[in-house]
Amino acid sequence: DLTTLPVIDDDRAELEASLLKAQEDVDRLNSRISVLTDDLEVEKARSEQERYNRMRLQAEVDAVNGTVKDLEEKLLKMTIESKQKEQLLKSSSMRESLVE
């Protein structure tokens, strides 16, 4: 029937317009997905860098703590040695005064 041809053409034009709009929506969403994926990669790289920095700083803190511990041990040893020498001098001086 020839009277239905204009209706079919109108429906076809509507479908083509809908399809074009849907394709534009898909393209826009794909573009947004691409941007979000890029943002995610940047954030992932930043997070990895922060993790590396924390590990490096922790290693530096551990090294400093080790140095502090070594210095504390040396100071304690020197203090003990100094007290022992002081005690020896006192003992020696007391003996000398007793002998005199």
Side-chain angles (χ1 to χ4, degrees):
D1 186 1
L2 292 176
T3 56
T4 58
L5 282 179
V7 172
I8 292 173
D9 284 343
D10 287 346
D11 287 348
R12 180 181 177 144
E14 263 183 56
L15 286 174
E16 287 175 349
S18 293
L19 180 61
L20 184 60
K21 184 181 178 326
Q23 186 59 49
E24 289 170 353
D25 290 346
V26 166
D27 290 345
R28 193 179 73 254
L29 289 172
N30 280 335
S31 176
R32 183 71 181 134
I33 288 171
S34 178
V35 168
L36 290 173
T37 301
D38 291 347
D39 290 350
L40 183 62
E41 288 299 319
V42 166
E43 189 58 36
K44 183 179 173 185
R46 184 178 297 130
S47 176
E48 285 293 318
Q49 184 64 41
E50 288 173 358
R51 188 172 80 64
Y52 168 78
N53 288 344
R54 278 193 306 273
M55 287 173 38
R56 190 175 49 87
L57 287 173
Q58 186 60 51
E60 289 177 20
V61 166
D62 291 346
V64 168
N65 284 338
T67 300
V68 167
K69 186 177 179 186
D70 289 346
L71 290 173
E72 286 173 340
E73 288 173 0
K74 286 179 183 178
L75 179 60
L76 179 61
K77 183 180 176 185
M78 290 172 72
T79 302
I80 291 170
E81 289 173 355
S82 173
K83 296 230 184 243
Q84 287 173 342
K85 287 179 183 176
E86 188 179 302
Q87 197 63 33
L88 280 173
L89 285 174
K90 280 184 183 177
S91 296
S92 179
S93 142
M94 286 176 77
R95 271 189 241 140
E96 286 178 11
S97 65
L98 285 176
V99 170
E100 293 175 3

